[in-house]
Amino acid sequence: MQFELTQEQKQIQSLAQQFANNEIKPIAAQADQNAQFPMSIYENAFSLGLLNSSLPQEYGGAGLGCMELVLITEALCYGCLGIGAALCINSLAAEPILIAGTHEQKAKYLSRLTSGAMASFALTEPSAGSDVASIKTKAEKVQGGYRLTGSKIWISNANMAEFFVVFAKTDPQGGYKGLSAFIVPADTEGISVGAPISKMGQKAAPACEVFLDNVFVPDEQLLGEEGSGFNIAMKVFDRSRPMVAAFGVGLIQRCLDESLAYARERESMGRPLIAHQAIAHKLADMRLRLETARLLTYQAAWRLDNGLNNTIEASMAKVNAADSAMWAATETIQIFGGMGYSTEYPAEKLFRDAKVLQIYEGTSEIQRNIIARELM
């Protein structure tokens, strides 16, 4: 058993950390205030090779593993969870193609990502989030392809995407067995994208509604076989949840660093806050939860990279990191006291950014259901 990162992994981690500190942190508050994703950050991260790290080299990617993706993600989300999440979300759209795509589909669409394009994973609907089997978007078979009709919501980067991976029902009565996945270019006739949804946190990461009005998708745009969409989605989550857990790890580390710095400089009753046991214990617990979340996340990534089933590990990593991030953000505000409630300090933004980690990519309740199912 080896807990030490390789030299290459350390270099990748260091590069991502420097980028987060030098380019993301200085503009994070403004990007949040403006609810605007800074495209210059995307372009700079792309040019440094921080994006598409896990895509195969034959399609222009770096050919690295989930562990390297986790290290990059953790560092970027330390700088800003909204910006970091938007930078990394291409991986979510790429996974269904990696899992079920033909060589032609991979060559065409993964190469677009490694050339700088953005893409979106379009699964969630107004009445179908955790309950994937309740998706209502229909894919009607017609000559030469399918006609897609329906709507999606909370689709990350949808307003910047060049193509979508859309999940729709080819058999409306088939439950989860009737679900299929399609690659749909964003300029296809009948697709429209709404304005970014106004959100509590992660404001720099756009999420939009996507409307599909009788959209024609050729047969060659079907991913895998008809009815395989649910299985594709579940495999995607095993691969993507370590990345999303790393969102939380990055935020917890930021909470600890901000809290520690403030507790050292702020005095109360003639002593620094850190000298008061009540505050010191919060910091100790924050470090404890940070390392627990990090180790679970690294374990889930390591198992995936080594060809081992990681379903339960990915769910444990995701729920632990999400719940711990929300706890850490709450305690950060408590340590800052009244100033934690002020926009002058980053504590309130960390709190707002943390909450949705317990909701997207499978709620904390769903993760516990998965863990319990795997135990049974």
Side-chain angles (χ1 to χ4, degrees):
M1 186 174 292
Q2 176 60 262
F3 287 96
E4 186 70 17
L5 297 178
T6 66
Q7 194 60 38
E8 182 184 17
Q9 289 170 336
K10 289 179 181 178
Q11 291 172 350
I12 292 169
Q13 183 185 52
S14 177
L15 177 64
Q17 289 172 340
Q18 290 175 29
F19 184 82
N21 285 317
N22 296 337
E23 299 205 35
I24 297 179
K25 276 182 70 176
I27 66 166
Q30 192 65 48
D32 177 75
Q33 185 177 340
N34 296 340
Q36 188 72 41
F37 177 72
M39 278 304 298
S40 60
I41 291 291
Y42 181 86
E43 292 163 0
N44 292 344
F46 178 81
S47 66
L48 286 173
L50 292 174
L51 309 182
N52 306 310
S53 63
S54 58
L55 296 187
Q57 291 180 335
E58 63 182 302
Y59 306 118
L64 301 175
C66 186
M67 179 62 78
E68 287 77 18
L69 174 61
V70 159
L71 294 172
I72 293 169
T73 301
E74 178 186 332
L76 298 180
C77 290
Y78 175 91
C80 173
L81 186 49
I83 294 174
L87 287 172
C88 298
I89 213 68
N90 264 5
S91 295
L92 187 58
E95 289 297 348
I97 302 173
L98 285 169
I99 291 167
T102 63
H103 174 70
E104 290 73 21
Q105 289 171 334
K106 292 176 182 177
K108 182 176 182 179
Y109 291 101
L110 297 182
S111 296
R112 289 176 69 173
L113 296 181
T114 57
S115 298
M118 302 176 80
S120 292
F121 181 83
L123 180 72
T124 302
E125 297 185 1
S127 59
S130 296
D131 184 10
V132 175
S134 294
I135 280 176
K136 291 183 171 58
T137 296
K138 295 180 181 179
E140 181 184 3
K141 189 73 179 77
V142 295
Q143 185 175 1
Y146 299 81
R147 291 280 179 184
L148 273 58
T149 302
S151 66
K152 302 292 180 177
I153 196 169
W154 296 113
I155 306 306
S156 298
N157 292 357
N159 59 330
M160 303 182 290
E162 290 192 15
F163 66 87
F164 302 93
V165 175
V166 178
F167 291 80
K169 283 285 185 68
T170 42
D171 178 3
Q173 309 304 318
Y176 67 88
K177 294 182 179 179
L179 193 65
S180 300
F182 303 86
I183 305 173
V184 187
D187 59 0
T188 305
E189 184 179 355
I191 290 183
S192 58
V193 177
I197 300 167
S198 180
K199 300 181 293 180
M200 180 175 81
Q202 296 191 28
K203 292 185 176 184
C208 311
E209 289 183 277
V210 177
F211 305 97
L212 302 113
D213 182 12
N214 202 31
V215 175
F216 178 74
V217 181
D219 286 326
E220 58 266 26
Q221 303 292 98
L222 174 69
L223 275 173
E225 299 177 352
E226 270 196 24
S228 65
F230 182 83
N231 287 335
I232 292 171
M234 294 306 104
K235 289 178 181 178
V236 167
F237 292 145
D238 284 348
R239 298 164 70 100
S240 65
R241 280 176 180 148
M243 178 186 72
V244 177
F247 290 0
V249 176
L251 185 131
I252 300 167
Q253 181 72 69
R254 181 70 180 274
C255 286
L256 177 59
D257 289 353
E258 296 288 349
S259 297
L260 190 56
Y262 189 77
R264 282 172 171 159
E265 70 178 34
R266 174 74 161 84
E267 290 192 357
S268 176
M269 303 175 191
R271 295 188 296 167
L273 289 181
I274 198 170
H276 295 276
Q277 190 179 69
I279 300 299
H281 281 186
K282 291 181 187 296
L283 294 166
D285 285 342
M286 208 177 290
R287 176 61 190 269
L288 174 63
R289 293 202 182 202
L290 169 65
E291 293 305 323
T292 302
R294 180 174 282 139
L295 287 170
L296 281 170
T297 300
Y298 289 8
Q299 180 193 33
W302 179 87
R303 288 185 66 87
L304 182 65
D305 286 342
N306 284 274
L308 302 171
N309 182 283
N310 76 332
T311 298
I312 193 168
E313 289 81 10
S315 285
M316 289 193 300
K318 199 274 180 180
V319 68
N320 182 271
D323 289 355
S324 293
M326 192 68 239
W327 174 87
T330 304
E331 290 301 289
T332 297
I333 289 182
Q334 199 69 17
I335 291 168
F336 274 72
M339 297 312 296
Y341 206 66
S342 166
T343 57
E344 183 180 345
Y345 288 88
E348 61 85 28
K349 178 182 179 298
L350 293 170
F351 180 88
R352 290 186 289 105
D353 285 350
K355 180 56 196 173
V356 76
L357 290 173
Q358 295 178 302
I359 299 171
Y360 62 26
E361 202 72 8
T363 64
S364 291
E365 291 78 10
I366 286 294
Q367 302 311 319
R368 288 179 169 86
N369 285 348
I370 293 171
I371 295 166
R373 183 195 69 203
E374 293 296 309
L375 289 173
M376 288 188 287

